[in-house]
Amino acid sequence: MRRWMAIDVGQTTVRVRTSWTSEVITAPGFHDPAADPVAAAFGAVRPILAAFAGSMIDDVPVVLAIGHTGLPEPAEGLDAVAKLILAELPVVSEVRLFPDAVTAHAGALSGRAGVVVAAGTGTVCLGVDSAGRAARVDGVGHLVGDAGSAYDLGRAGLRQAVWHQERREAASALYEAARRHLLDDLDLGDDLGASLRRLCWLPDRVKLVAAFARPVIDSAQAGDQVAARLVGQAAADLAATVRACAALIEPAAEDRRIACVGGMFASDALAQPFRAALDLADWRVVPADGTVLDGTVLLAGDSPGLHASLGHFRKGS
């Protein structure tokens, strides 16, 4: 009997599925790595391993596949994480580590070639052709990348709210939305500027800023022109990311498919202008077959297929 465990480590949530339970388990997501990225990456999955240790049968090996948003680089760091996992759970026969862009791609296209853009808290786009050659665009983190992500849009919305308070911008519904988000929902004080300064020191600041993307989209759908402009810019940025990725690979005509995953595409307020801005006549946008966790499950299977060269594999003793 072959057993597997699939873990999707995102910035907001960790999700787990196994071959011996039907339930999807969730846990808090991965924060920015500390001074030791290996310890941080391992620390994100260690509580999950401990929670499932009691349900594993000692003489039945488990293949563990992990899609992780915070894997260390280069390969030595990946191998160090894999060794820590094997030491923690000797019943694991093999560890397969993949960047979350790879698991998103595998899940959205069921292991087939094409381009997948994932826009949630962050943004990354991965293209893979039928020979397994890959190209990645963005996914470099919130400091300089993640264009069109929830963090990017949330930050833009908060900036507009501050500029309104400073009389640099015209009135917008985003000002009151930001006050509700920071002062009421997060209870960060009674002043917008002071609450934003406090936000900068919180360990989960990326997630909290990204959460403001939803009020920005809601304001755009309600007719606020400032919010609509910000959502339109996010859509244009995501379209540019996909175009850049598509230009870096040369798939066969039948493999020129694009799938979109992540919470940013859940609203037509962004999805429709994204499609309009895409401008790739010889490509087709297809519905995503599955989630990032579905992709991790697929890559825990007998063969990772096109994605085999995009992961790090370490067998147990």
Side-chain angles (χ1 to χ4, degrees):
M1 179 177 60
R2 187 180 184 279
R3 285 190 159 199
W4 51 260
M5 174 185 285
I7 305 178
D8 165 37
V9 181
Q11 294 188 63
T12 302
T13 307
V14 176
R15 297 177 177 85
V16 188
R17 190 183 299 164
T18 73
S19 59
W20 61 91
T21 63
S22 58
E23 185 180 5
V24 174
I25 307 299
T26 61
F30 175 80
H31 296 316
D32 293 341
D36 185 350
V38 171
F42 175 62
V45 299
R46 189 176 190 181
I48 298 295
L49 302 179
F52 276 91
S55 65
M56 295 184 182
I57 304 172
D58 289 343
D59 59 350
V60 179
V62 175
V63 173
L64 174 59
I66 301 175
H68 204 308
T69 191
L71 288 176
E73 298 182 53
E76 290 79 3
L78 294 172
D79 207 47
V81 173
K83 288 178 178 178
L84 287 170
I85 292 171
L86 291 169
E88 184 81 7
L89 267 185
V91 71
V92 173
S93 61
E94 183 179 28
V95 176
R96 302 175 180 179
L97 299 175
F98 299 92
D100 57 349
V102 176
T103 50
H105 191 282
L109 295 179
S110 298
R112 297 171 297 167
V115 169
V116 172
V117 56
T121 303
T123 296
V124 65
C125 188
L126 182 69
V128 182
D129 68 14
S130 57
R133 293 182 293 261
R136 172 173 168 152
V137 174
D138 211 331
V140 295
H142 67 280
L143 291 180
V144 296
D146 289 346
S149 68
Y151 176 85
D152 194 31
L153 181 59
R155 179 182 56 186
L158 291 172
R159 182 189 299 121
Q160 287 293 326
V162 172
W163 285 357
H164 168 66
Q165 179 172 270
E166 296 170 345
R167 306 296 174 88
R168 289 200 273 172
E169 287 284 349
S172 166
L174 294 177
Y175 175 70
E176 290 301 329
R179 287 183 58 85
R180 287 192 298 272
H181 180 64
L182 296 169
L183 309 186
D184 298 337
D185 298 344
L186 301 182
D187 194 23
L188 292 180
D190 55 8
D191 175 77
L192 183 62
S195 67
L196 284 168
R197 289 188 288 274
R198 186 175 299 175
L199 177 64
C200 293
W201 294 97
L202 297 179
D204 54 351
R205 57 192 174 274
V206 173
K207 180 178 70 174
L208 298 177
V209 171
F212 192 61
R214 182 71 259 173
V216 176
I217 292 173
D218 290 344
S219 296
Q221 290 179 311
D224 185 84
Q225 293 302 305
V226 174
R229 174 169 54 82
L230 297 182
V231 173
Q233 184 60 56
D237 288 343
L238 289 169
T241 296
V242 172
R243 288 197 303 272
C245 189
L248 292 173
I249 61 172
E250 297 181 356
E254 63 270 18
D255 292 330
R256 295 188 176 185
R257 57 179 73 90
I258 299 165
C260 308
V261 299
M264 289 296 286
F265 294 105
S267 170
D268 286 342
L270 183 135
Q272 289 181 354
F274 164 79
R275 287 173 179 259
L278 201 51
D279 193 26
L280 287 172
D282 54 345
W283 290 72
R284 64 192 187 280
V285 178
V286 300
D289 294 334
T291 66
V292 181
L293 182 56
D294 292 328
T296 313
V297 170
L298 183 68
L299 297 177
D302 292 333
S303 173
L306 293 178
H307 302 88
S309 65
L310 305 179
H312 183 86
F313 297 70
R314 161 66 70 169
K315 290 187 178 294
S317 56

mmCIF file of all heavy atoms in Angstrom, residues 2 62-64 79 82-83 86-87 89-90 92-96 302 312-317:
data_model
loop_
_atom_site.group_PDB
_atom_site.id
_atom_site.type_symbol
_atom_site.label_atom_id
_atom_site.label_comp_id
_atom_site.label_asym_id
_atom_site.label_seq_id
_atom_site.Cartn_x
_atom_site.Cartn_y
_atom_site.Cartn_z
ATOM 1 N N ARG A 2 0.682 2.113 -0.988
ATOM 2 C CA ARG A 2 1.478 3.328 -1.100
ATOM 3 C C ARG A 2 0.750 4.484 -0.428
ATOM 4 O O ARG A 2 -0.423 4.726 -0.689
ATOM 5 C CB ARG A 2 1.723 3.651 -2.574
ATOM 6 C CG ARG A 2 2.671 4.810 -2.813
ATOM 7 C CD ARG A 2 2.839 5.036 -4.303
ATOM 8 N NE ARG A 2 3.807 6.070 -4.583
ATOM 9 C CZ ARG A 2 3.545 7.378 -4.537
ATOM 10 N NH1 ARG A 2 2.332 7.792 -4.206
ATOM 11 N NH2 ARG A 2 4.478 8.264 -4.813
ATOM 12 N N VAL A 62 5.862 6.634 3.432
ATOM 13 C CA VAL A 62 5.058 7.766 2.975
ATOM 14 C C VAL A 62 5.909 8.645 2.066
ATOM 15 O O VAL A 62 7.038 9.009 2.422
ATOM 16 C CB VAL A 62 4.543 8.596 4.170
ATOM 17 C CG1 VAL A 62 3.817 9.851 3.682
ATOM 18 C CG2 VAL A 62 3.629 7.766 5.055
ATOM 19 N N VAL A 63 5.377 8.972 0.896
ATOM 20 C CA VAL A 63 5.992 9.974 0.031
ATOM 21 C C VAL A 63 5.417 11.330 0.422
ATOM 22 O O VAL A 63 4.197 11.510 0.439
ATOM 23 C CB VAL A 63 5.723 9.684 -1.455
ATOM 24 C CG1 VAL A 63 6.236 10.832 -2.324
ATOM 25 C CG2 VAL A 63 6.383 8.376 -1.866
ATOM 26 N N LEU A 64 6.282 12.266 0.748
ATOM 27 C CA LEU A 64 5.859 13.594 1.198
ATOM 28 C C LEU A 64 6.205 14.625 0.132
ATOM 29 O O LEU A 64 7.380 14.839 -0.181
ATOM 30 C CB LEU A 64 6.553 13.950 2.515
ATOM 31 C CG LEU A 64 6.328 15.361 3.060
ATOM 32 C CD1 LEU A 64 4.852 15.625 3.312
ATOM 33 C CD2 LEU A 64 7.135 15.578 4.335
ATOM 34 N N ASP A 79 18.167 20.814 0.212
ATOM 35 C CA ASP A 79 18.549 19.503 0.731
ATOM 36 C C ASP A 79 18.582 19.510 2.256
ATOM 37 O O ASP A 79 18.232 18.512 2.896
ATOM 38 C CB ASP A 79 19.916 19.096 0.174
ATOM 39 C CG ASP A 79 20.077 17.585 0.101
ATOM 40 O OD1 ASP A 79 19.150 16.915 -0.395
ATOM 41 O OD2 ASP A 79 21.107 17.079 0.564
ATOM 42 N N ALA A 82 15.035 19.075 3.410
ATOM 43 C CA ALA A 82 14.606 17.687 3.213
ATOM 44 C C ALA A 82 15.192 16.769 4.279
ATOM 45 O O ALA A 82 14.504 15.884 4.812
ATOM 46 C CB ALA A 82 15.008 17.216 1.818
ATOM 47 N N LYS A 83 16.455 16.965 4.620
ATOM 48 C CA LYS A 83 17.095 16.124 5.638
ATOM 49 C C LYS A 83 16.457 16.331 7.011
ATOM 50 O O LYS A 83 16.290 15.376 7.782
ATOM 51 C CB LYS A 83 18.591 16.430 5.691
ATOM 52 C CG LYS A 83 19.371 15.915 4.487
ATOM 53 C CD LYS A 83 20.843 16.295 4.586
ATOM 54 C CE LYS A 83 21.638 15.757 3.413
ATOM 55 N NZ LYS A 83 23.067 16.167 3.474
ATOM 56 N N LEU A 86 13.215 14.354 7.012
ATOM 57 C CA LEU A 86 13.452 12.912 7.120
ATOM 58 C C LEU A 86 13.866 12.523 8.536
ATOM 59 O O LEU A 86 13.482 11.456 9.038
ATOM 60 C CB LEU A 86 14.522 12.487 6.114
ATOM 61 C CG LEU A 86 14.100 12.546 4.639
ATOM 62 C CD1 LEU A 86 15.307 12.366 3.733
ATOM 63 C CD2 LEU A 86 13.044 11.490 4.342
ATOM 64 N N ALA A 87 14.634 13.385 9.187
ATOM 65 C CA ALA A 87 15.029 13.106 10.568
ATOM 66 C C ALA A 87 13.841 13.213 11.519
ATOM 67 O O ALA A 87 13.749 12.476 12.508
ATOM 68 C CB ALA A 87 16.136 14.071 10.994
ATOM 69 N N LEU A 89 10.615 12.635 10.697
ATOM 70 C CA LEU A 89 9.654 11.560 10.436
ATOM 71 C C LEU A 89 10.333 10.453 9.637
ATOM 72 O O LEU A 89 10.303 10.454 8.404
ATOM 73 C CB LEU A 89 8.453 12.096 9.654
ATOM 74 C CG LEU A 89 7.229 12.568 10.430
ATOM 75 C CD1 LEU A 89 6.117 12.938 9.470
ATOM 76 C CD2 LEU A 89 6.740 11.521 11.407
ATOM 77 N N PRO A 90 10.949 9.493 10.297
ATOM 78 C CA PRO A 90 11.661 8.424 9.581
ATOM 79 C C PRO A 90 10.763 7.584 8.681
ATOM 80 O O PRO A 90 11.259 6.930 7.756
ATOM 81 C CB PRO A 90 12.243 7.579 10.722
ATOM 82 C CG PRO A 90 12.334 8.510 11.883
ATOM 83 C CD PRO A 90 11.160 9.422 11.748
ATOM 84 N N VAL A 92 8.863 8.634 6.485
ATOM 85 C CA VAL A 92 8.851 9.244 5.153
ATOM 86 C C VAL A 92 9.952 8.613 4.304
ATOM 87 O O VAL A 92 11.128 8.627 4.674
ATOM 88 C CB VAL A 92 9.046 10.772 5.241
ATOM 89 C CG1 VAL A 92 9.214 11.377 3.851
ATOM 90 C CG2 VAL A 92 7.859 11.409 5.954
ATOM 91 N N SER A 93 9.552 8.046 3.170
ATOM 92 C CA SER A 93 10.515 7.375 2.296
ATOM 93 C C SER A 93 11.149 8.320 1.287
ATOM 94 O O SER A 93 12.247 8.063 0.788
ATOM 95 C CB SER A 93 9.832 6.229 1.545
ATOM 96 O OG SER A 93 8.770 6.728 0.735
ATOM 97 N N GLU A 94 10.458 9.412 0.977
ATOM 98 C CA GLU A 94 10.998 10.381 0.025
ATOM 99 C C GLU A 94 10.353 11.736 0.268
ATOM 100 O O GLU A 94 9.142 11.829 0.499
ATOM 101 C CB GLU A 94 10.733 9.945 -1.421
ATOM 102 C CG GLU A 94 11.348 10.885 -2.458
ATOM 103 C CD GLU A 94 11.103 10.429 -3.889
ATOM 104 O OE1 GLU A 94 10.079 9.751 -4.132
ATOM 105 O OE2 GLU A 94 11.922 10.755 -4.761
ATOM 106 N N VAL A 95 11.165 12.782 0.207
ATOM 107 C CA VAL A 95 10.683 14.159 0.292
ATOM 108 C C VAL A 95 10.823 14.794 -1.086
ATOM 109 O O VAL A 95 11.889 14.709 -1.712
ATOM 110 C CB VAL A 95 11.482 14.973 1.326
ATOM 111 C CG1 VAL A 95 11.025 16.436 1.319
ATOM 112 C CG2 VAL A 95 11.320 14.382 2.719
ATOM 113 N N ARG A 96 9.745 15.421 -1.542
ATOM 114 C CA ARG A 96 9.753 16.137 -2.813
ATOM 115 C C ARG A 96 9.379 17.591 -2.538
ATOM 116 O O ARG A 96 8.262 17.878 -2.116
ATOM 117 C CB ARG A 96 8.756 15.519 -3.794
ATOM 118 C CG ARG A 96 9.018 14.047 -4.091
ATOM 119 C CD ARG A 96 7.940 13.447 -4.982
ATOM 120 N NE ARG A 96 8.202 12.039 -5.265
ATOM 121 C CZ ARG A 96 7.404 11.269 -6.015
ATOM 122 N NH1 ARG A 96 6.290 11.786 -6.549
ATOM 123 N NH2 ARG A 96 7.712 10.007 -6.224
ATOM 124 N N ASP A 302 3.045 8.770 -8.599
ATOM 125 C CA ASP A 302 4.104 7.886 -9.082
ATOM 126 C C ASP A 302 5.159 8.628 -9.896
ATOM 127 O O ASP A 302 6.347 8.329 -9.820
ATOM 128 C CB ASP A 302 3.502 6.757 -9.924
ATOM 129 C CG ASP A 302 2.678 5.797 -9.076
ATOM 130 O OD1 ASP A 302 2.974 5.690 -7.870
ATOM 131 O OD2 ASP A 302 1.745 5.183 -9.611
ATOM 132 N N HIS A 312 13.001 19.363 -5.941
ATOM 133 C CA HIS A 312 14.176 18.787 -5.281
ATOM 134 C C HIS A 312 13.730 17.518 -4.563
ATOM 135 O O HIS A 312 12.801 17.547 -3.754
ATOM 136 C CB HIS A 312 14.776 19.774 -4.279
ATOM 137 C CG HIS A 312 16.017 19.268 -3.625
ATOM 138 N ND1 HIS A 312 17.263 19.411 -4.191
ATOM 139 C CD2 HIS A 312 16.208 18.586 -2.458
ATOM 140 C CE1 HIS A 312 18.172 18.859 -3.402
ATOM 141 N NE2 HIS A 312 17.555 18.351 -2.342
ATOM 142 N N PHE A 313 14.400 16.405 -4.847
ATOM 143 C CA PHE A 313 13.999 15.099 -4.335
ATOM 144 C C PHE A 313 15.094 14.552 -3.411
ATOM 145 O O PHE A 313 16.279 14.615 -3.732
ATOM 146 C CB PHE A 313 13.771 14.117 -5.487
ATOM 147 C CG PHE A 313 12.652 14.511 -6.415
ATOM 148 C CD1 PHE A 313 12.777 15.606 -7.266
ATOM 149 C CD2 PHE A 313 11.468 13.796 -6.439
ATOM 150 C CE1 PHE A 313 11.752 15.977 -8.120
ATOM 151 C CE2 PHE A 313 10.434 14.154 -7.292
ATOM 152 C CZ PHE A 313 10.571 15.244 -8.126
ATOM 153 N N ARG A 314 14.672 13.993 -2.282
ATOM 154 C CA ARG A 314 15.614 13.374 -1.351
ATOM 155 C C ARG A 314 14.949 12.137 -0.756
ATOM 156 O O ARG A 314 13.894 12.227 -0.142
ATOM 157 C CB ARG A 314 16.001 14.357 -0.253
ATOM 158 C CG ARG A 314 16.586 13.748 1.008
ATOM 159 C CD ARG A 314 17.926 13.081 0.804
ATOM 160 N NE ARG A 314 19.013 14.000 0.541
ATOM 161 C CZ ARG A 314 20.304 13.636 0.548
ATOM 162 N NH1 ARG A 314 20.626 12.369 0.805
ATOM 163 N NH2 ARG A 314 21.238 14.514 0.282
ATOM 164 N N LYS A 315 15.565 10.973 -0.977
ATOM 165 C CA LYS A 315 15.041 9.720 -0.436
ATOM 166 C C LYS A 315 15.546 9.500 0.981
ATOM 167 O O LYS A 315 16.655 9.920 1.333
ATOM 168 C CB LYS A 315 15.437 8.541 -1.324
ATOM 169 C CG LYS A 315 14.715 8.518 -2.677
ATOM 170 C CD LYS A 315 15.024 7.244 -3.431
ATOM 171 C CE LYS A 315 14.281 7.195 -4.762
ATOM 172 N NZ LYS A 315 12.817 7.113 -4.559
ATOM 173 N N GLY A 316 14.715 8.828 1.785
ATOM 174 C CA GLY A 316 15.114 8.481 3.134
ATOM 175 C C GLY A 316 16.031 7.272 3.145
ATOM 176 O O GLY A 316 16.269 6.635 2.116
ATOM 177 N N SER A 317 16.528 6.948 4.306
ATOM 178 C CA SER A 317 17.459 5.818 4.421
ATOM 179 C C SER A 317 16.703 4.490 4.415
ATOM 180 O O SER A 317 15.527 4.424 4.710
ATOM 181 C CB SER A 317 18.253 5.950 5.712
ATOM 182 O OG SER A 317 17.394 6.049 6.824
#
